[in-house]
């Protein structure tokens, strides 16, 4: 696969017959790439008052802290996806409690589903996409080193849900 | 594009370097298709007590009734997508009120986001993917001709939300 020529594959932009918008098409074989937004699944997983974060070993935002999260795979339920990501990124075993939030991020064509979860024990360690894992009290969260705005939203929404005992699903903060 | 050979394009199943699961790869150029679950956006749109349904002119379930819904497009917000689908399928102008439900359907690799919406007027007519459009009172809904289980879930969830005045986001019914 290292011989891949980036100019090949679906690289011609055109409107397929019967469609109403441009898609990427392969000039060689006519394959049409119907590219759609992706679903990201993740969790705010707690052990008591501590929250699980992972430090990214990959770009974008290498070295910054994030929640265990990633792309949902084919034929995977969203809560199984969140459990798998916790395992892959932090070797963490979690129990899903409920859907904390849905964030709609059209700029990067993502819909993010973030679950509230309970960490089953403190045996966590970095997976291949993490440099480090940590269990942080609220006042210890490294806010300036948080990788993405939606990670901040989810941390704040989880705290708000617990303090208000309103565990209904949150959406993007106003204005975002 | 009519000359497309279905055996070409990404048609070889293999695990790309650095990945941990099989993807479809093009034998000619090495293009890797990262296929992921898709997001469906739609709405339960009401005009007073009447609910907008459309009768499908395309497979699957041609001739059956459904809610206006379809795949979210790149760089589109989920509520804009729901508005677009109402226009494309029923020439309906709607105003989104809130997120009614999220249905997780791993068997067909879909996550469906269904909004509650208000229809702005009764000027509706079939778009290219619809045979017919209708505004139905609850007792007039053609239940045996409803296209998909999640359409029934959404209709029942919308009714339940209104009668209980609990407008929080619903999930899959128990057992589904």
């Amino acid at each position: 696969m290292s011989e891949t020529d980036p100019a090949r594959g679906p690289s011609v932009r055109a409107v397929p017959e019967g469609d109403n918008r441009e898609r990427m098409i392969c000039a060689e074989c006519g394959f049409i790439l119907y590219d759609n937004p992706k679903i990201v699944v993740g969790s705010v997983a707690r052990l008591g008052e501590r929250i699980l974060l992972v430090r990214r070993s990959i770009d974008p935002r290498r070295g910054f802290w994030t929640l265990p999260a990633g792309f949902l795979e084919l034929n995977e339920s969203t809560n199984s996806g969140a459990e798998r990501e916790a395992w892959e990124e932090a070797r963490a075993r979690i129990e899903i409690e409920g859907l904390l939030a849905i964030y709609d991020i059209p700029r990067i064509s993502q819909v993010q589903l973030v679950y509230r979860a309970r960490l089953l024990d403190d045996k966590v360690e970095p997976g291949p996409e993490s440099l480090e894992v940590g269990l942080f009290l609220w006042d210890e969260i490294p806010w300036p080193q948080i990788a993405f705005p939606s990670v901040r939203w989810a941390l704040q929404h989880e705290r708000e849900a617990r303090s208000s005992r309103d565990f209904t699903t949150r959406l993007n903060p106003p204005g975002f």
Side-chain angles (χ1 to χ4, degrees), chain A residues 15-62:
Chain A
V15 179
E17 201 180 316
D19 200 345
N20 59 11
R21 61 181 70 207
E22 289 185 333
R23 310 289 173 180
M24 297 307 285
I25 300 174
C26 181
E28 315 258 325
C29 68
F31 173 75
I32 303 166
L33 177 62
Y34 286 96
D35 198 12
N36 288 90
K38 288 190 168 49
I39 300 155
V40 168
V41 287
S43 60
V44 178
R46 284 191 305 111
L47 185 70
E49 292 300 307
R50 292 177 189 273
I51 296 168
L52 175 65
L53 293 175
V54 298
R55 199 152 77 87
R56 294 172 63 82
S57 71
I58 54 170
D59 281 322
R61 305 292 271 164
R62 185 177 193 280

Side-chain angles (χ1 to χ4, degrees), chain A residues 32-159:
Chain A
I32 303 166
L33 177 62
Y34 286 96
D35 198 12
N36 288 90
K38 288 190 168 49
I39 300 155
V40 168
V41 287
S43 60
V44 178
R46 284 191 305 111
L47 185 70
E49 292 300 307
R50 292 177 189 273
I51 296 168
L52 175 65
L53 293 175
V54 298
R55 199 152 77 87
R56 294 172 63 82
S57 71
I58 54 170
D59 281 322
R61 305 292 271 164
R62 185 177 193 280
F64 285 75
W65 290 90
T66 188
L67 294 166
F71 293 121
L72 184 65
E73 294 284 358
L74 293 176
N75 300 121
E76 183 176 54
S77 69
T78 58
N79 51 16
S80 303
E83 287 169 358
R84 175 182 52 73
E85 289 291 340
W87 176 257
E88 287 183 2
E89 302 193 349
R91 297 296 178 242
R93 294 184 312 124
I94 64 170
E95 183 179 278
I96 299 288
E97 294 176 328
L99 186 59
L100 173 67
I102 307 170
Y103 303 130
D104 193 357
I105 312 181
R107 186 180 60 82
I108 53 170
S109 293
Q110 285 186 6
V111 173
Q112 302 185 350
L113 304 188
V114 185
Y115 284 92
R116 284 182 297 108
R118 193 170 69 85
L119 196 55
L120 298 185
D121 55 53
D122 64 359
K123 292 182 190 61
V124 292
E125 56 181 80
E129 297 183 1
S130 309
L131 295 169
E132 195 179 345
V133 300
L135 290 168
F136 294 91
L137 292 174
W138 182 260
D139 293 334
E140 298 168 349
I141 293 172
W143 295 105
Q145 279 82 50
I146 292 293
F148 307 110
S150 62
V151 174
R152 281 186 214 105
W153 304 345
L155 290 168
Q156 274 151 3
H157 278 158
E158 198 270 342
R159 184 172 170 86

